[in-house]
Amino acid sequence: NAGVTQTPKFQVLKTGQSMTLQCAQDMNHNSMYWYRQDPGMGLRLIYYSASEGTTDKGEVPNGYNVSRLNKREFSLRLESAAPSQTSVYFCASRETGMDPQHFGDGTRLSIL
Amino acid sequence: LAKTTQPISMDSYEGQEVNITCSHNNIATNDYITWYQQFPSQGPRFIIQGYKTKVTNEVASLFIPADRKSSTLSLPRVSLSDTAVYYCLVGDMGSGGYNKLIFGAGTRLAVHP
């Protein structure tokens, strides 16, 4: 059982380049999330999708776009990468009600 | 949103019981308390969740006093593999509330031989 799978695991970009981070879950969960985690910090919510076909902004959405491609997949796009977006990006999913979030192992993104 | 406060770091030794306390003075009636564990280079992992009194699972116990203004995560007989960051989250776990949960900086637990 793979759970939440994120690709790629590592990526280095130059300022201004674009990039899509992929996330897929095999637990048939309704909700999916994208977080970023800066060194020594907690996670901050970028965007979330409460159900297939819906997306909403989280705490730090600027500079990002998302697509809920289907129930399994939720992608995060950086249209014009900036050094301030250097971070570790985590995707998570959950069912509804009291179910906790299940996280992937992250994508480590460096922008030069 | 209920703000949480927890120690930045803690140290312990193998075999000891570790208690990490989280303060959440403005917890709301519908809010639950959830703890996650994060190892280096991994995503957070759910440990335990509770509303009041005591909850126990195979990994930890969660103690919540009657006023619910704080909670304590208890890890029995820790080992080196329990070295991680522990996050306390408080919020309404309904369909809308989970989208508003805030991960603070957490508590860095270091377990020594």
Side-chain angles (χ1 to χ4, degrees):
Chain A
N1 189 352
V4 178
T5 303
Q6 294 184 234
T7 55
K9 295 189 186 306
F10 302 93
Q11 185 70 46
V12 179
L13 295 177
K14 295 180 179 178
T15 298
Q17 286 186 315
S18 61
M19 170 76 187
T20 298
L21 280 58
Q22 306 287 352
C23 174
Q25 52 93 7
D26 62 3
M27 296 171 282
N28 202 37
H29 286 166
N30 284 309
S31 301
M32 298 186 73
Y33 307 77
W34 276 105
Y35 291 88
R36 61 176 288 174
Q37 185 174 36
D38 298 323
M41 306 283 287
L43 282 72
R44 291 184 291 171
L45 183 63
I46 305 171
Y47 270 93
Y48 64 95
S49 171
S51 61
E52 187 179 357
T54 69
T55 61
D56 284 287
K57 296 178 180 179
E59 181 187 359
V60 289
N62 291 343
Y64 305 95
N65 287 301
V66 291
S67 296
R68 183 73 182 268
L69 304 172
N70 47 57
K71 192 170 185 180
R72 288 187 66 249
E73 299 172 288
F74 188 39
S75 64
L76 178 71
R77 183 163 178 83
L78 288 70
E79 290 290 353
S80 179
S84 61
Q85 294 177 304
T86 293
S87 190
V88 181
Y89 291 85
F90 288 101
C91 177
S93 70
R94 66 183 288 265
E95 192 38 54
T96 55
M98 301 301 295
D99 186 39
Q101 290 175 314
H102 302 259
F103 285 83
D105 283 336
T107 293
R108 283 144 188 82
L109 184 61
S110 293
I111 300 161
L112 307 176
Chain B
L1 289 173
K3 184 179 186 306
T4 61
T5 302
Q6 51 183 125
I8 294 174
S9 63
M10 294 181 69
D11 289 274
S12 184
Y13 293 90
E14 284 190 292
Q16 289 189 333
E17 178 184 74
V18 171
N19 296 309
I20 306 174
T21 297
C22 179
S23 297
H24 28 81
N25 290 320
N26 60 338
I27 188 169
T29 302
N30 293 333
D31 287 347
Y32 279 71
I33 300 152
T34 306
W35 285 81
Y36 282 83
Q37 173 192 56
Q38 186 179 25
F39 297 115
S41 302
Q42 294 186 21
R45 186 179 70 170
F46 170 81
I47 302 176
I48 198 165
Q49 180 173 283
Y51 183 81
K52 62 180 179 180
T53 62
K54 176 184 175 182
V55 180
T56 298
N57 61 24
E58 64 278 5
V59 176
S61 294
L62 179 59
F63 298 93
I64 306 168
D67 67 5
R68 303 199 329 121
K69 293 185 183 300
S70 67
S71 58
T72 299
L73 174 72
S74 181
L75 304 172
R77 297 179 298 282
V78 294
S79 65
L80 296 176
S81 62
D82 292 314
T83 294
V85 178
Y86 292 82
Y87 297 98
C88 167
L89 286 76
V90 173
D92 183 349
M93 300 307 174
S95 58
Y98 234 108
N99 307 322
K100 302 179 178 66
L101 292 181
I102 296 175
F103 282 81
T107 297
R108 293 183 176 276
L109 173 66
V111 180
H112 305 281

